[in-house]
């Protein structure tokens, strides 16, 4: 008989946290990147949005890989929070949040 170690509760929680972070954080980072690219790419707006959407699939995949490759869950979360905050600031500076507000 082989002796197989069963995963501890902490290990299961860590994996579950990574899955949630990859799904929700990946979606958030990809959505922010799509919005930033759609606002900043030159050319017709429809083409900029289409190109940004295509790029978002690669960004989502890269985020998922990053979350599972990071040494700890905290480092993975920080690795998503910093770019997300930078993209929010860039969108704010580009005026993306005030597009529907009359001046």
């Amino acid at each position: 008989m082989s002796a197989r170690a069963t995963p501890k509760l902490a290990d299961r929680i860590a994996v579950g946290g990574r899955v949630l972070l990859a799904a929700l954080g990946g979606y958030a980072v990809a959505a922010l990147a799509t919005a930033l690219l759609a606002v900043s790419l030159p050319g017709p707006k429809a083409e900029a949005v289409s190109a940004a959407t295509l790029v978002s699939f690669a960004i989502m995949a890269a985020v998922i890989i990053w979350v599972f490759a990071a040494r700890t869950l905290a480092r993975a979360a920080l690795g998503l929070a910093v770019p997300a905050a930078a993209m929010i600031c860039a969108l704010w500076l580009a005026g993306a949040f005030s597009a529907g507000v009359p001046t």
Side-chain angles (χ1 to χ4, degrees):
M1 231 179 206
S2 66
R4 191 159 61 172
T6 58
K8 296 180 178 135
L9 182 61
D11 296 332
R12 291 176 189 240
I13 291 173
V15 171
R18 285 180 190 263
V19 169
L20 282 174
L21 184 63
L24 301 176
Y27 180 80
V29 169
L32 286 169
T34 302
L36 184 60
L37 286 171
V39 168
S40 62
L41 286 175
K45 212 38 121 171
E47 290 180 14
V49 170
S50 295
T53 303
L54 286 172
V55 172
S56 73
F57 293 109
I59 292 170
M60 179 78 169
V63 166
I64 291 170
I65 291 169
W66 160 252
V67 167
F68 284 98
R71 190 175 300 255
T72 63
L73 184 59
R75 185 176 288 187
L78 186 64
L80 295 185
V82 170
M87 285 187 279
I88 289 171
C89 289
L91 280 167
W92 179 68
L93 288 173
F97 295 119
S98 61
V101 178
T103 57

